[in-house]
Amino acid sequence: MFRKGFALRGNFLWSEGPDELNIRAGAVAVCDENGLCAGVFDELPEWYKTLPVRELGETLILPGYSDLHFHASQYEDLGLGMDLTLLDWLQELTYPEEARFQNAGYARNVYGRLAEELRAGFTTRVAAFATVHREGTEILMELLNGAGLAGYVGKVNMDRNAPEYIRERDAAFSLEETERWVAETAGRFETIRPILTPRFVPSCTPELMEGLGQLRKKYALPLQSHLDEQPEEIAWVRELCPGSESYAHVYDKDGLLGPDVLMAHCVYLTDEECALLKQTGTWVVHCPCSNSNVRSGIAPIRKYLDLGLNIGLGSDISGGHSLDMADTLREALSVSRLLWRLGEERYTHLSAREVFYLATAGGGAFFGKVGRFEPGYAFDAVAVDDGPWRRPGDDLSARFQKMIYRATARNVTAKYVAGKMLF
Amino acid sequence: MFRKGFALRGNFLWSEGPDELNIRAGAVAVCDENGLCAGVFDELPEWYKTLPVRELGETLILPGYSDLHFHASQYEDLGLGMDLTLLDWLQELTYPEEARFQNAGYARNVYGRLAEELRAGFTTRVAAFATVHREGTEILMELLNGAGLAGYVGKVNMDRNAPEYIRERDAAFSLEETERWVAETAGRFETIRPILTPRFVPSCTPELMEGLGQLRKKYALPLQSHLDEQPEEIAWVRELCPGSESYAHVYDKDGLLGPDVLMAHCVYLTDEECALLKQTGTWVVHCPCSNSNVRSGIAPIRKYLDLGLNIGLGSDISGGHSLDMADTLREALSVSRLLWRLGEERYTHLSAREVFYLATAGGGAFFGKVGRFEPGYAFDAVAVDDGPWRRPGDDLSARFQKMIYRATARNVTAKYVAGKMLF
C-alpha cells in the first residue's frame, strides 16, 4: 500500500520532561502525509516500507529550537550600542532603526537576510516582533513563511512614550491598523500567523490595552509583550498605573494573559505575579543574552520551573547579540550558575538537559504538539554535524553535552519544519 | 635601497589604553626585517617603497588576542562535565584525561588539533598548561611553535592531593623533571618558551614550592598558576597553610610572584592580596567563561583596573567551553554587566573597548612590546572579515562594536605573529 511521507535515519535526541532526555541511536523517525511524526523505530516498520528514507549518518537529530522572543526589526543593530543605557539605546539606536521599516524595500532587504539566517540555523519555530508598520509586518510574515519557518509575527502597538516618528497617532488608529492587519494575514500564510503585540505597558495607553483585549477576544488571538525586565522599568509602570496591583495585573485587567500569551523577560516577578502567571497559564520567555547585555539581571528560572510555570527561551535580538539559539542556551546555563553563586543557593543551576528541554519540548508546547519526536507531534527536525569535535569514545550522552557547549548554526546540516524539508 | 620586510594595507584598530581605541582607515602598516612594527602610515613612506604590500581590503585588522590561561590537555573535554561539581569534574574527567598525555602519540594527536584551531583564530600569543609529563609538554611546545603561535607553555608540577596515576612521586622528582625540561626547551623553539607551572597551592608540597622558587631564580623563569578561584578552594588553602596571611602570600613566600607571573582567576582577591599583586606587578588573568561554567563567581575587573593591576584574559579551556577568544571577550562583557546589576553598582560595567584592550595591548604586555601597531612592537596582526554583517552606513567605530559581539574565529582571514605570515 502506498503512503506519502518520508523517514529519516540517524541519532535522535529529544526531551520528555525538564530533566529527561530520550536518546535513540541509529533509529528511524517517520513523518506522515500530514507533516506529523508517526514515531521513532529501531527499523522502518513494514507498514512504511515504501517510504523514502534519508540517511543522516552520524549527525545528531533534534526537534529544533523555538525562539519565543525577538525583534526582527533590530537585526541590523546586532552588537551595536551595548555600552549605552537602555533609554539612550532606545532613543539613539532602536527607534530610529525601527522607523526605517516604514519603507517596504528596506523591510524586505533586512527581513530577507534575517529569514535566511534563521532558516540556516537551529530555530524551527518563532514568535517575532516586527514594528508598528502594517506593510512591513506582512513582509516579515511572507519572508519567514517563505523560508520555511513556523510561528507568529506581531505588528507592534505603541501609542505613547515614544518619539512621534515611530509612535502610532492614537489608540483608535493603532487598533484599526491592527484589525486590518489581522484580517489580511490570519489565513494567508501556511505556517506564519499573526499575534497581538503591545510593546509593553509604558508604550500603550489604557484605551489601546482595552481595545487589544477586545480584539483578542473577538478573533481568539494570541499575544506577546514584555514583563518585569528591569527595576527601573517596573518603577515606571508603577508610576503609570498607580491603581494596579502589579505590572502583570495591568495586562490581566484587559484579558491579556493566558496560555496563548508570551511575556518576555520576567526577571523580577513577585510571588503574586508568579501566582497570576501560573493561574492563567501565561508563558515566561527567558532571554538570558539580553538580560546580561542590557544589564537587566538574572531571571530565577529554577524557581519558575519549580512553580510549574510555562517557560521557553528567546534570543531577544538586539538586546541579545545573537540570533543563533545555541548562544541563548549557553547563556541560560551560564547565568543560572552565576545566580547560584551570587546569593541564591537555593536555586540549583540549570543542566544542559534542562536548557535543551526549554528550547525544544518546553517552549515548543506554545505552538501545540511541537518539540518531540512522538506520534502526533509536528515533524520538526534539525541535524547537527558534530564531526569537527567528536572523538571515537564519545557516547551519545557525551556528544549531547558537547553539542550544547560547542555547536553553532554552522553545524546544522539538515532541517525540517512541520514535515517540510528546508535543506 | 633594499630592505626586507613587508606592509599591509587596510583598516587598523588597536588600543592605546583601557578606553582609548585607535582607528586608522585605509592605512599602511609596515613590518621591518626583524618582525617589528615600523609604524602605521596614511601612505607607504618613500623609504619603504620597495616593500611588498598585501591588500587586505575592507577587513578589520587587529593586533590579535593574547590567551593568558588555558589547559591544552583538556581540549578533548571541551563541553563535557559542566554539570559536575569542581571536585567530581577533576576526579571523573580531568585527571583521567590528563593521564593520557603520558602517551606521546596521544599528545601529538590532541595537541596537533588544538594548535590547528588556535592557528586559525584570533589568538596570537598564549600561556598554556600542559600536564605533568615532560615529553608531552615538549610536544605541545613543538606543535604550537610549528603552528606559528608565540608565548609560553608549562609542564605542570603536582606532588600532592591528586590520584597517584597523575601525581608526581615527590618534590625532588618533580623538580628534576622540571629542570631537565627547562634545559631541553629554553632555546629550542623560535617563539615558544618554558614557564614554571605549579598547578595551584593544594597540588604542591611546601618543598616543591620552595624548589620552584629556587629554579625560578636560577633560570630567571616566568611562572603561571591559579589564585582565588572559588570560596571552597580558598578555604582549603587556608587549612593547608594555616600560618600564611593569604593565598597569594603562599606564592609570595617562595618568590613566586612578580611582573613575569600569571595568576589565573583572582575572583576573590582580598585588599591585602590586591596590594601584594600591585606591589609585585603580578598579573591577574580573568577567565570569565570558566568562572561562569564552573560556578566560581564574577571577578571584579573594574576594581582591579582602578587599582592599576596588570590584567589579561584567558579562555581557560576546559573550565571555559571555547578556545575562541571572541567568546571570552563577550563573556567578560556579560558578567561585568551582571556584577553591576547584582549588587556592586560601584563597579561600572566594562565597555567593548576595555575588553578589547585587555585582550590586546593589556594582556599582550605580558610578552613585552606586544599588542599595538606602534614602532618597536612585535608585528602581530589578525584580519577579520565582517562582510557578512557590515552595512553600507557603518563607520569603523560601529564595525568595531559589531565585531566584538558577532565575530568568531571563522571570520579571521589573515594572520601574522611576530612578523611571520600564518595565512
Side-chain angles (χ1 to χ4, degrees), chain B residues 244-309:
Chain B
S244 187
E245 208 174 318
S246 77
Y247 195 162
H249 284 83
V250 182
Y251 292 114
D252 189 49
K253 187 175 67 64
D254 294 309
L256 306 185
L257 299 183
D260 54 350
V261 172
L262 299 167
M263 283 291 162
H265 304 302
C266 299
V267 181
Y268 298 99
L269 293 180
T270 63
D271 288 345
E272 291 71 27
E273 288 180 309
C274 286
L276 183 57
L277 264 56
K278 168 90 177 170
Q279 175 205 320
T280 54
T282 304
W283 287 73
V284 168
V285 186
H286 181 37
C287 305
C289 289
S290 166
N291 294 338
S292 298
N293 288 336
V294 306
R295 288 168 274 162
S296 299
I298 303 177
I301 299 304
R302 170 66 60 211
K303 174 179 172 180
Y304 303 160
L305 277 171
D306 289 348
L307 288 171
L309 300 187

Side-chain angles (χ1 to χ4, degrees), chain A residues 106-305:
Chain A
Y106 188 80
R108 194 164 287 280
N109 177 331
V110 176
Y111 289 153
R113 283 182 287 114
L114 170 103
E116 205 40 60
E117 183 175 341
L118 282 172
R119 176 184 149 84
F122 284 95
T123 303
T124 42
R125 306 268 163 171
V126 300
F129 278 51
T131 60
V132 294
H133 312 98
R134 183 172 37 76
E135 194 186 353
T137 304
E138 297 186 16
I139 289 168
L140 176 58
M141 298 175 83
E142 175 202 325
L143 293 172
L144 289 176
N145 187 72
L149 297 154
Y152 297 101
V153 166
K155 187 204 92 57
V156 172
N157 299 102
M158 173 158 62
D159 72 340
R160 68 171 173 179
N161 290 318
E164 205 176 313
Y165 65 82
I166 188 71
R167 200 175 62 213
E168 294 176 296
R169 104 168 68 98
D170 56 28
F173 176 78
S174 179
L175 291 165
E176 272 167 39
E177 284 286 288
T178 302
E179 190 159 10
R180 180 171 160 195
W181 160 69
V182 169
E184 286 176 359
T185 59
R188 183 159 137 210
F189 305 106
E190 198 185 354
T191 50
I192 298 287
R193 291 188 293 271
I195 182 168
L196 292 177
T197 306
R199 188 175 199 119
F200 68 148
V201 169
S203 301
C204 302
T205 59
E207 298 71 40
L208 178 52
M209 293 294 245
E210 198 187 328
L212 287 172
Q214 288 160 0
L215 275 186
R216 175 164 149 73
K217 215 169 156 185
K218 182 169 170 189
Y219 296 98
L221 287 166
L223 184 139
Q224 60 183 350
S225 195
H226 297 87
L227 177 62
D228 289 338
E229 182 173 1
Q230 295 201 342
E232 297 76 2
E233 167 218 20
I234 296 168
W236 192 18
V237 170
R238 200 174 299 125
E239 261 176 56
L240 290 167
C241 313
S244 187
E245 208 173 318
S246 76
Y247 195 161
H249 283 84
V250 182
Y251 291 113
D252 189 49
K253 187 174 68 62
D254 293 310
L256 306 185
L257 298 184
D260 54 351
V261 172
L262 299 167
M263 283 292 162
H265 303 303
C266 299
V267 181
Y268 299 99
L269 293 180
T270 63
D271 288 345
E272 290 70 29
E273 289 180 308
C274 286
L276 183 57
L277 265 56
K278 168 91 177 167
Q279 175 205 320
T280 54
T282 304
W283 288 72
V284 168
V285 186
H286 181 38
C287 304
C289 288
S290 167
N291 293 339
S292 298
N293 287 336
V294 306
R295 287 167 275 162
S296 299
I298 303 177
I301 298 304
R302 169 66 59 210
K303 173 179 173 179
Y304 302 160
L305 276 171

Side-chain angles (χ1 to χ4, degrees), chain A residues 76 81-83 97 100 231-232 292-293 295-296 331 334 337 341 349 352 391 401-402 405 410, chain B residues 76 79 81-83 97 100 231-232 292-293 295-296 331 334 337 341 349 352 391 401-402 405 410:
Chain A
E76 285 290 59
M82 293 299 190
D83 297 330
E97 177 64 22
R100 294 190 176 138
E232 297 76 2
S292 298
N293 287 336
R295 287 167 275 162
S296 299
E331 188 70 3
S334 179
R337 286 158 157 74
R341 174 61 80 183
H349 66 89
R391 73 176 170 187
Q401 288 184 57
K402 287 186 174 184
Y405 282 97
R410 286 181 173 270
Chain B
E76 285 290 59
M82 293 300 190
D83 296 330
E97 177 63 22
R100 294 190 174 138
E232 298 76 2
S292 298
N293 288 336
R295 288 168 274 162
S296 299
E331 187 72 2
S334 179
R337 286 158 157 73
R341 174 61 78 183
H349 67 88
R391 75 176 170 188
Q401 290 183 58
K402 288 186 174 183
Y405 282 97
R410 286 180 174 270

Side-chain angles (χ1 to χ4, degrees), chain B residues 401-418:
Chain B
Q401 290 183 58
K402 288 186 174 183
M403 178 197 73
I404 294 292
Y405 282 97
R406 304 194 62 167
T408 70
R410 286 180 174 270
N411 302 107
V412 173
T413 53
K415 186 167 174 181
Y416 295 79
V417 177

Side-chain angles (χ1 to χ4, degrees), chain A residues 336-350:
Chain A
S336 82
R337 286 158 157 74
L338 291 175
L339 184 62
W340 172 86
R341 174 61 80 183
L342 273 70
E344 299 276 4
E345 289 207 17
R346 70 205 146 119
Y347 300 142
T348 318
H349 66 89
L350 300 178

